[in-house]
Amino acid sequence: MAKSALLKSSLAKKYWMAFTGLFLCLFLVGHLAGNLQLLATGEGARDQFNEYALFMTTNPIVRVLSIVTFASILFHVIDGIVLTVNNRKSRPQGYVSFKPATNSKWSSRNMGILGTVILAFIVIHLINFWGEMKFGGLDDTVYQTANGETVKDLYTLTIRTFQDAEMGLVWAIIYLISMIAIGFHLYHGFGSGFQSLGINHPKYNNFVRKTGVAFSIIVPLLFAIIPFYIYFVLEKI
């Protein structure tokens, strides 16, 4: 009975929504740390990034975390849709004096739209890179690293994607739009995640709010810089 109540409880869904959302924030930080290596220059840049990619795809602990991450993304998306639908069903008619622009932030009122944009971006991102790495024809970019391991050259694949004469700038703009959506999503979700988990106290609410604002700006901005740096600054390969 308790388990059934837990699965059907909207409060439980909000807890899991908050938990998976904050977990994905940690994933973003780790993913950003790895991707920033694409800004490196010199002969060792390719080896450095590809060794990172090899570690991320072969280390058993990381592989388990990857499964948890994908499961969290899937749950986060489904849970968000369910919560949105349930909230609309619970209030089929708006209040007469309801003024959303004054009662809530734009990001909080449009989390569904932002989430849809982000989901589309994730699909595109996986097709462009993960799909190519797993199933694409990368025979011309397979090489041996400095320690003698044969790997698929994700570094070259990434650089070629964003330096492509026809689509490179388009992909960079798509990533910029997606990072703006992620920024707005984080702007609302970071603070509300802590509140949903009951971490809500006047002593540190201001710190959580400021941290959330900084996180929602800095992380997406750094992600967005990478493709434009590759297209406009990095030496063509």
Side-chain angles (χ1 to χ4, degrees):
M1 186 71 179
K3 290 183 179 179
S4 177
L6 177 64
L7 292 174
K8 294 180 180 179
S9 168
S10 60
L11 183 61
K13 290 186 178 69
K14 288 182 179 180
Y15 281 139
W16 282 110
M17 188 73 171
F19 178 78
T20 53
L22 293 175
F23 173 79
L24 291 174
C25 286
L26 294 177
F27 163 76
L28 282 176
V29 173
H31 194 46
L32 176 61
N35 283 8
L36 286 175
Q37 296 179 70
L38 290 166
L39 303 181
T41 57
E43 295 182 358
R46 183 175 71 166
D47 280 352
Q48 178 180 327
F49 184 78
N50 283 330
E51 286 173 6
Y52 151 77
L54 181 63
F55 173 80
M56 294 296 289
T57 54
T58 58
N59 184 276
I61 296 177
V62 175
R63 294 182 72 174
V64 171
L65 288 175
S66 297
I67 294 172
V68 173
T69 299
F70 281 113
S72 298
I73 292 172
L74 183 61
F75 181 89
H76 198 73
V77 170
I78 295 174
D79 203 32
I81 294 172
V82 171
L83 285 172
T84 300
V85 172
N86 288 345
N87 288 338
R88 290 183 177 179
K89 284 183 177 179
S90 65
R91 192 178 62 198
Q93 294 182 347
Y95 298 114
V96 175
S97 60
F98 179 62
K99 298 180 180 180
T102 58
N103 295 330
S104 61
K105 298 173 183 177
W106 181 89
S107 57
S108 66
R109 300 194 308 273
N110 294 277
M111 290 294 275
I113 296 174
L114 294 171
T116 301
V117 173
I118 295 168
L119 180 60
F121 164 73
I122 291 173
V123 172
I124 292 172
H125 187 70
L126 289 175
I127 292 173
N128 280 352
F129 301 109
W130 183 84
E132 283 295 319
M133 283 292 293
K134 292 293 183 180
F135 310 109
L138 294 177
D139 293 339
D140 62 329
T141 57
V142 173
Y143 83 113
Q144 284 193 337
T145 62
N147 58 15
E149 293 183 272
T150 301
V151 299
K152 286 188 174 182
D153 190 356
L154 181 58
Y155 176 84
T156 299
L157 169 64
T158 305
I159 302 304
R160 285 179 177 176
T161 298
F162 291 117
Q163 287 186 346
D164 183 80
E166 295 181 356
M167 288 296 296
L169 186 57
V170 174
W171 288 127
I173 293 172
I174 290 174
Y175 272 62
L176 174 61
I177 294 171
S178 302
M179 289 307 110
I180 291 173
I182 288 177
F184 277 111
H185 197 80
L186 290 171
Y187 178 64
H188 169 72
F190 191 92
S192 63
F194 281 96
Q195 288 187 354
S196 295
L197 293 174
I199 306 174
N200 184 17
H201 193 280
K203 287 185 177 181
Y204 43 76
N205 280 349
N206 191 47
F207 173 77
V208 171
R209 182 185 65 81
K210 289 182 178 180
T211 302
V213 171
F215 189 88
S216 66
I217 294 173
I218 295 173
V219 172
L221 178 62
L222 290 176
F223 269 116
I225 286 174
I226 296 171
F228 285 96
Y229 175 85
I230 293 173
Y231 183 83
F232 287 108
V233 179
L234 200 64
E235 183 180 354
K236 297 293 187 292
I237 62 172

mmCIF file of all heavy atoms in Angstrom, residues 4 19 26 36 51-52 62 84 87-88 109 120 134 143 148 151 158 161 172-173 176 178 193 200 212 221 235:
data_model
loop_
_atom_site.group_PDB
_atom_site.id
_atom_site.type_symbol
_atom_site.label_atom_id
_atom_site.label_comp_id
_atom_site.label_asym_id
_atom_site.label_seq_id
_atom_site.Cartn_x
_atom_site.Cartn_y
_atom_site.Cartn_z
ATOM 1 N N SER A 4 2.499 1.734 -3.372
ATOM 2 C CA SER A 4 1.543 2.238 -4.345
ATOM 3 C C SER A 4 1.281 3.721 -4.126
ATOM 4 O O SER A 4 1.211 4.493 -5.075
ATOM 5 C CB SER A 4 0.228 1.450 -4.234
ATOM 6 O OG SER A 4 -0.730 1.972 -5.119
ATOM 7 N N PHE A 19 15.432 15.608 -7.094
ATOM 8 C CA PHE A 19 16.651 14.813 -6.909
ATOM 9 C C PHE A 19 17.349 14.564 -8.239
ATOM 10 O O PHE A 19 18.560 14.758 -8.372
ATOM 11 C CB PHE A 19 16.302 13.476 -6.240
ATOM 12 C CG PHE A 19 17.486 12.569 -6.062
ATOM 13 C CD1 PHE A 19 18.397 12.788 -5.041
ATOM 14 C CD2 PHE A 19 17.700 11.508 -6.927
ATOM 15 C CE1 PHE A 19 19.501 11.952 -4.880
ATOM 16 C CE2 PHE A 19 18.797 10.671 -6.774
ATOM 17 C CZ PHE A 19 19.694 10.899 -5.752
ATOM 18 N N LEU A 26 25.091 18.112 -11.408
ATOM 19 C CA LEU A 26 26.443 17.581 -11.191
ATOM 20 C C LEU A 26 26.998 16.989 -12.481
ATOM 21 O O LEU A 26 28.183 17.146 -12.793
ATOM 22 C CB LEU A 26 26.410 16.507 -10.090
ATOM 23 C CG LEU A 26 26.056 16.990 -8.679
ATOM 24 C CD1 LEU A 26 25.985 15.802 -7.726
ATOM 25 C CD2 LEU A 26 27.089 17.997 -8.179
ATOM 26 N N LEU A 36 35.716 21.307 -21.924
ATOM 27 C CA LEU A 36 36.598 22.473 -21.957
ATOM 28 C C LEU A 36 37.991 22.112 -22.469
ATOM 29 O O LEU A 36 38.751 22.996 -22.886
ATOM 30 C CB LEU A 36 36.698 23.099 -20.564
ATOM 31 C CG LEU A 36 35.466 23.892 -20.103
ATOM 32 C CD1 LEU A 36 35.647 24.361 -18.665
ATOM 33 C CD2 LEU A 36 35.202 25.090 -21.019
ATOM 34 N N GLU A 51 41.851 10.661 -24.653
ATOM 35 C CA GLU A 51 42.101 9.833 -23.474
ATOM 36 C C GLU A 51 41.006 10.047 -22.439
ATOM 37 O O GLU A 51 40.582 9.105 -21.755
ATOM 38 C CB GLU A 51 43.475 10.157 -22.895
ATOM 39 C CG GLU A 51 44.621 9.595 -23.743
ATOM 40 C CD GLU A 51 45.991 10.055 -23.263
ATOM 41 O OE1 GLU A 51 46.045 10.716 -22.215
ATOM 42 O OE2 GLU A 51 46.995 9.760 -23.943
ATOM 43 N N TYR A 52 40.544 11.292 -22.337
ATOM 44 C CA TYR A 52 39.399 11.579 -21.461
ATOM 45 C C TYR A 52 38.160 10.831 -21.947
ATOM 46 O O TYR A 52 37.442 10.192 -21.170
ATOM 47 C CB TYR A 52 39.145 13.092 -21.419
ATOM 48 C CG TYR A 52 37.705 13.479 -21.182
ATOM 49 C CD1 TYR A 52 37.141 13.410 -19.910
ATOM 50 C CD2 TYR A 52 36.907 13.922 -22.241
ATOM 51 C CE1 TYR A 52 35.813 13.757 -19.703
ATOM 52 C CE2 TYR A 52 35.592 14.269 -22.040
ATOM 53 C CZ TYR A 52 35.047 14.190 -20.773
ATOM 54 O OH TYR A 52 33.724 14.533 -20.566
ATOM 55 N N VAL A 62 32.288 4.851 -14.249
ATOM 56 C CA VAL A 62 31.718 5.902 -15.095
ATOM 57 C C VAL A 62 30.569 5.352 -15.933
ATOM 58 O O VAL A 62 29.558 6.029 -16.144
ATOM 59 C CB VAL A 62 32.800 6.523 -15.998
ATOM 60 C CG1 VAL A 62 32.182 7.529 -16.963
ATOM 61 C CG2 VAL A 62 33.873 7.200 -15.159
ATOM 62 N N THR A 84 3.225 18.445 -15.123
ATOM 63 C CA THR A 84 2.587 19.526 -15.878
ATOM 64 C C THR A 84 1.142 19.187 -16.202
ATOM 65 O O THR A 84 0.237 20.021 -16.020
ATOM 66 C CB THR A 84 3.354 19.796 -17.187
ATOM 67 O OG1 THR A 84 4.700 20.169 -16.872
ATOM 68 C CG2 THR A 84 2.699 20.914 -17.980
ATOM 69 N N ASN A 87 -0.964 19.241 -12.999
ATOM 70 C CA ASN A 87 -1.215 20.607 -12.535
ATOM 71 C C ASN A 87 -2.305 21.286 -13.364
ATOM 72 O O ASN A 87 -3.136 22.028 -12.836
ATOM 73 C CB ASN A 87 0.073 21.429 -12.597
ATOM 74 C CG ASN A 87 1.071 21.029 -11.525
ATOM 75 O OD1 ASN A 87 0.701 20.448 -10.508
ATOM 76 N ND2 ASN A 87 2.339 21.332 -11.749
ATOM 77 N N ARG A 88 -2.303 21.033 -14.662
ATOM 78 C CA ARG A 88 -3.326 21.633 -15.518
ATOM 79 C C ARG A 88 -4.691 21.011 -15.277
ATOM 80 O O ARG A 88 -5.718 21.695 -15.324
ATOM 81 C CB ARG A 88 -2.925 21.481 -16.986
ATOM 82 C CG ARG A 88 -1.733 22.350 -17.366
ATOM 83 C CD ARG A 88 -1.397 22.249 -18.833
ATOM 84 N NE ARG A 88 -0.304 23.141 -19.182
ATOM 85 C CZ ARG A 88 0.211 23.244 -20.401
ATOM 86 N NH1 ARG A 88 -0.286 22.520 -21.388
ATOM 87 N NH2 ARG A 88 1.206 24.093 -20.631
ATOM 88 N N ARG A 109 7.061 29.443 -15.683
ATOM 89 C CA ARG A 109 5.808 29.244 -16.408
ATOM 90 C C ARG A 109 6.018 28.475 -17.707
ATOM 91 O O ARG A 109 5.061 28.001 -18.314
ATOM 92 C CB ARG A 109 5.144 30.595 -16.729
ATOM 93 C CG ARG A 109 4.797 31.438 -15.528
ATOM 94 C CD ARG A 109 3.861 32.580 -15.906
ATOM 95 N NE ARG A 109 4.349 33.367 -17.031
ATOM 96 C CZ ARG A 109 5.185 34.401 -16.911
ATOM 97 N NH1 ARG A 109 5.641 34.736 -15.717
ATOM 98 N NH2 ARG A 109 5.572 35.081 -17.979
ATOM 99 N N ALA A 120 15.115 17.973 -27.319
ATOM 100 C CA ALA A 120 15.479 17.942 -28.742
ATOM 101 C C ALA A 120 16.985 18.103 -28.908
ATOM 102 O O ALA A 120 17.614 17.432 -29.738
ATOM 103 C CB ALA A 120 14.734 19.041 -29.493
ATOM 104 N N LYS A 134 29.537 5.337 -31.876
ATOM 105 C CA LYS A 134 29.144 3.933 -31.724
ATOM 106 C C LYS A 134 28.859 3.255 -33.055
ATOM 107 O O LYS A 134 29.196 2.081 -33.253
ATOM 108 C CB LYS A 134 27.906 3.846 -30.824
ATOM 109 C CG LYS A 134 28.150 4.230 -29.374
ATOM 110 C CD LYS A 134 29.071 3.225 -28.689
ATOM 111 C CE LYS A 134 29.246 3.562 -27.220
ATOM 112 N NZ LYS A 134 30.147 2.599 -26.544
ATOM 113 N N TYR A 143 42.836 6.107 -34.520
ATOM 114 C CA TYR A 143 44.287 6.279 -34.435
ATOM 115 C C TYR A 143 44.800 5.728 -33.108
ATOM 116 O O TYR A 143 44.017 5.364 -32.231
ATOM 117 C CB TYR A 143 44.653 7.757 -34.583
ATOM 118 C CG TYR A 143 44.539 8.560 -33.308
ATOM 119 C CD1 TYR A 143 45.669 9.086 -32.700
ATOM 120 C CD2 TYR A 143 43.308 8.781 -32.707
ATOM 121 C CE1 TYR A 143 45.579 9.812 -31.526
ATOM 122 C CE2 TYR A 143 43.204 9.511 -31.540
ATOM 123 C CZ TYR A 143 44.336 10.028 -30.956
ATOM 124 O OH TYR A 143 44.243 10.743 -29.786
ATOM 125 N N GLY A 148 49.684 3.948 -26.979
ATOM 126 C CA GLY A 148 49.533 2.788 -27.844
ATOM 127 C C GLY A 148 48.147 2.220 -27.966
ATOM 128 O O GLY A 148 47.944 1.224 -28.674
ATOM 129 N N VAL A 151 41.959 4.035 -30.575
ATOM 130 C CA VAL A 151 40.677 4.635 -30.181
ATOM 131 C C VAL A 151 40.047 5.350 -31.369
ATOM 132 O O VAL A 151 40.708 5.665 -32.351
ATOM 133 C CB VAL A 151 40.863 5.645 -29.024
ATOM 134 C CG1 VAL A 151 41.435 4.985 -27.799
ATOM 135 C CG2 VAL A 151 41.739 6.814 -29.468
ATOM 136 N N THR A 158 34.547 15.995 -33.345
ATOM 137 C CA THR A 158 33.933 17.193 -32.780
ATOM 138 C C THR A 158 34.397 18.452 -33.507
ATOM 139 O O THR A 158 33.587 19.317 -33.852
ATOM 140 C CB THR A 158 34.270 17.305 -31.280
ATOM 141 O OG1 THR A 158 33.875 16.105 -30.613
ATOM 142 C CG2 THR A 158 33.551 18.488 -30.658
ATOM 143 N N THR A 161 32.889 18.702 -36.947
ATOM 144 C CA THR A 161 31.463 19.044 -36.898
ATOM 145 C C THR A 161 31.262 20.548 -36.842
ATOM 146 O O THR A 161 30.440 21.111 -37.574
ATOM 147 C CB THR A 161 30.793 18.381 -35.680
ATOM 148 O OG1 THR A 161 30.878 16.956 -35.800
ATOM 149 C CG2 THR A 161 29.323 18.785 -35.581
ATOM 150 N N ALA A 172 26.684 25.510 -34.241
ATOM 151 C CA ALA A 172 27.066 26.382 -33.132
ATOM 152 C C ALA A 172 25.876 27.208 -32.658
ATOM 153 O O ALA A 172 25.655 27.372 -31.444
ATOM 154 C CB ALA A 172 28.215 27.303 -33.555
ATOM 155 N N ILE A 173 25.077 27.721 -33.599
ATOM 156 C CA ILE A 173 23.898 28.524 -33.244
ATOM 157 C C ILE A 173 22.845 27.652 -32.562
ATOM 158 O O ILE A 173 22.211 28.081 -31.584
ATOM 159 C CB ILE A 173 23.320 29.212 -34.500
ATOM 160 C CG1 ILE A 173 24.307 30.268 -35.020
ATOM 161 C CG2 ILE A 173 21.972 29.856 -34.188
ATOM 162 C CD1 ILE A 173 23.914 30.866 -36.345
ATOM 163 N N LEU A 176 23.932 27.229 -29.126
ATOM 164 C CA LEU A 176 23.722 28.459 -28.359
ATOM 165 C C LEU A 176 22.272 28.571 -27.899
ATOM 166 O O LEU A 176 22.006 28.868 -26.716
ATOM 167 C CB LEU A 176 24.090 29.670 -29.220
ATOM 168 C CG LEU A 176 23.782 31.049 -28.609
ATOM 169 C CD1 LEU A 176 24.554 31.263 -27.319
ATOM 170 C CD2 LEU A 176 24.087 32.154 -29.616
ATOM 171 N N SER A 178 20.151 26.186 -27.513
ATOM 172 C CA SER A 178 19.919 25.127 -26.527
ATOM 173 C C SER A 178 20.489 25.501 -25.166
ATOM 174 O O SER A 178 19.873 25.235 -24.124
ATOM 175 C CB SER A 178 20.544 23.811 -27.013
ATOM 176 O OG SER A 178 20.022 23.436 -28.269
ATOM 177 N N GLY A 193 14.511 23.003 -6.852
ATOM 178 C CA GLY A 193 14.917 21.654 -6.481
ATOM 179 C C GLY A 193 15.237 21.556 -5.005
ATOM 180 O O GLY A 193 14.812 20.614 -4.316
ATOM 181 N N ASN A 200 15.136 24.511 2.791
ATOM 182 C CA ASN A 200 14.570 25.846 2.651
ATOM 183 C C ASN A 200 14.614 26.555 4.006
ATOM 184 O O ASN A 200 13.853 26.239 4.905
ATOM 185 C CB ASN A 200 13.129 25.733 2.141
ATOM 186 C CG ASN A 200 12.511 27.086 1.869
ATOM 187 O OD1 ASN A 200 13.216 28.087 1.746
ATOM 188 N ND2 ASN A 200 11.192 27.122 1.773
ATOM 189 N N GLY A 212 22.373 29.503 -7.621
ATOM 190 C CA GLY A 212 21.572 29.054 -8.753
ATOM 191 C C GLY A 212 21.671 30.005 -9.936
ATOM 192 O O GLY A 212 21.780 29.571 -11.087
ATOM 193 N N LEU A 221 26.957 29.252 -20.459
ATOM 194 C CA LEU A 221 27.815 30.164 -21.218
ATOM 195 C C LEU A 221 29.100 29.479 -21.655
ATOM 196 O O LEU A 221 29.521 29.593 -22.820
ATOM 197 C CB LEU A 221 28.139 31.400 -20.380
ATOM 198 C CG LEU A 221 29.081 32.429 -21.023
ATOM 199 C CD1 LEU A 221 28.465 32.993 -22.297
ATOM 200 C CD2 LEU A 221 29.418 33.545 -20.037
ATOM 201 N N GLU A 235 42.470 26.423 -35.098
ATOM 202 C CA GLU A 235 43.066 26.146 -36.404
ATOM 203 C C GLU A 235 42.301 25.032 -37.104
ATOM 204 O O GLU A 235 41.961 24.015 -36.501
ATOM 205 C CB GLU A 235 44.530 25.746 -36.235
ATOM 206 C CG GLU A 235 45.254 25.499 -37.541
ATOM 207 C CD GLU A 235 46.706 25.106 -37.329
ATOM 208 O OE1 GLU A 235 47.168 25.147 -36.155
ATOM 209 O OE2 GLU A 235 47.374 24.755 -38.321
#
